[in-house]
């Protein structure tokens, strides 16, 4: 179990901060309009992002978020990218999960943070 103070969630469009630690992009697709330099990503784990099918079903509808989180957790089982993310967090450094969605409360990074800190 990891403390929530170690795993943070930020938009990839936010200005990088000194306290971000390891910056991990958790989107399957690189966010539109964001350069690699501006993103300052240390690691891009695209395969840890939700499948295209799940992402399209969810459509960032807050009413579907709980079901999205449940389905997404199922998708992560056995994923090498999910294991890699857990390994990064287990190293004990501060980790910032970066997402490209406009909704800061209903996205895969929020789900990943909850899973990593429970």
């Amino acid at each position: 179990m990891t403390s929530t103070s170690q795993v943070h969630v930020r938009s990839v469009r936010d200005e990088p901060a000194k306290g971000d630690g390891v910056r991990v992009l958790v989107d399957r697709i690189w966010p539109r309009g964001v350069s690699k330099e501006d993103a300052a990503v240390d690691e891009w784990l695209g395969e840890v992002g939700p499948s295209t099918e799940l992402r399209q079903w969810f459509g960032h509808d807050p009413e579907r978020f709980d079901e999205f989180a449940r389905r997404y957790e199922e998708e992560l089982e056995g994923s090498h990218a999910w294991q890699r993310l857990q390994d990064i967090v287990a190293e004990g450094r501060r980790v910032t999960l970066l997402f490209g969605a406009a909704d800061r409360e209903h996205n895969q990074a929020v789900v990943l943070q909850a899973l990593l800190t429970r």
Side-chain angles (χ1 to χ4, degrees):
M1 181 163 150
T2 304
S3 75
T4 53
S5 62
Q6 184 183 336
V7 180
H8 298 267
V9 172
R10 298 186 71 207
S11 170
V12 71
R13 290 172 177 80
D14 292 344
E15 192 71 30
K18 285 184 181 176
D20 283 347
V22 181
R23 292 171 54 87
V24 182
L25 179 62
V26 294
D27 278 9
R28 197 166 285 265
I29 301 166
W30 190 270
R32 266 189 230 137
V34 178
S35 73
K36 294 197 187 309
E37 295 77 31
D38 289 345
V41 169
D42 295 306
E43 188 145 2
W44 178 20
L45 292 178
E47 292 301 310
V48 83
S51 67
T52 300
E53 297 77 23
L54 181 57
R55 198 175 65 251
Q56 289 174 346
W57 171 84
F58 173 43
H60 293 283
D61 179 347
E63 291 182 15
R64 290 185 170 182
F65 186 68
D66 290 341
E67 179 64 14
F68 165 77
R70 188 192 66 72
R71 292 182 187 189
Y72 182 37
E73 184 176 2
E74 285 179 4
E75 280 190 355
L76 290 170
E77 290 176 20
S79 161
H80 293 293
W82 171 232
Q83 185 58 56
R84 173 70 184 127
L85 181 56
Q86 292 176 82
D87 292 345
I88 291 169
V89 171
E91 292 171 3
R93 298 181 292 169
R94 185 177 174 114
V95 176
T96 299
L97 305 177
L98 303 171
F99 63 91
D103 188 332
R104 293 177 174 270
E105 296 175 32
H106 304 100
N107 62 66
Q108 74 273 13
V110 171
V111 175
L112 291 170
Q113 180 188 39
L115 294 173
L116 289 164
T117 58
R118 68 175 179 196

